[in-house]
Amino acid sequence: MDKSGSYLQKHPGITRTRVANFVSNGMWSDVNIHASLYSARASGKPHVELEVWSAPGQERPTFAHATKQQFAPIEVGHQFGPSWSTHWVRVTVQIPHEMEGSQVRLLFDPSCEAMVWTDAGEPLQGISSGLSSARRVDVILTEKARTGEPRRVLYLEVACNHLFGNGRTTIEPPKDDRQFPLATADLVVYNADAWALYYDLQVIRDMAQKLPQDSPRAWQALAAGNAIVNEYSVGDQASIVRGREISARFFAARGGDANHQVYAIGNCHIDTAWLWPYAETR
């Protein structure tokens, strides 16, 4: 057995943790795959200008009403609150010429939830903060930025609650005085290869952790994940490409004609008033 295989068998727990830390958006995010998810970033004026109008009380005004109000300038770090209140943020963006030819996104993390609207009043998508798999804080502005990009205006209807209401844990009575800081408002260039490797590693990590620990495929997953971590270097795009080659070889393996064919079918539902007021659903 080679040296790396011997190490994996002697210290599987340490190696599983190592692979998990590599995809974790926590204390290692400045040196793991998260450091490479965006290849360029711009923030502040003139690239991102922020203004807000806060609806009184727990009112939830329409787009037409909210956008006619007087907006005041804010910056990253601004606090939205209290719980259940609504705040309309007007975001004016100017894509810098350094991002020409790239897919550009707006990263907007209000530490709570939001709805993204065009300046014509068309709802585009939701925003959900946090560190879970439900996190979504990016909005595609253009698939390929071009010379002389026009200024764009978006409105974000910020709702002061989390995915599961306003309790301190998943299911708990709400706190009525919570505040939510605006953590991020940046323009970024999406690094497609880095994101693809990130998703590959999530699957490889879960296979290494969830498959029977004495199965060959679990050991293969652990070895592939460890090899990708070894290959990676912050700021080196070629190391990401090499990591994807490792994951591609791992996923290319087939078990034979007796394999199961599995289909995943999604569904959704709406809880009208579970951990939030009925007015929030309405």
Side-chain angles (χ1 to χ4, degrees), residues 140-156:
I140 298 175
L141 298 177
T142 178
E143 289 290 348
K144 188 175 182 179
R146 61 184 187 274
T147 302
E149 281 283 341
R151 286 165 65 87
R152 289 175 166 83
V153 176
L154 293 174
Y155 287 90
L156 289 100

Side-chain angles (χ1 to χ4, degrees), residues 20-29 32 34 37 130-131 135 198:
N21 285 341
F22 187 71
V23 295
S24 173
N25 188 19
M27 64 184 299
W28 310 111
S29 59
N32 66 14
H34 286 270
L37 295 179
L131 298 178
R135 176 178 173 84
Y198 169 68

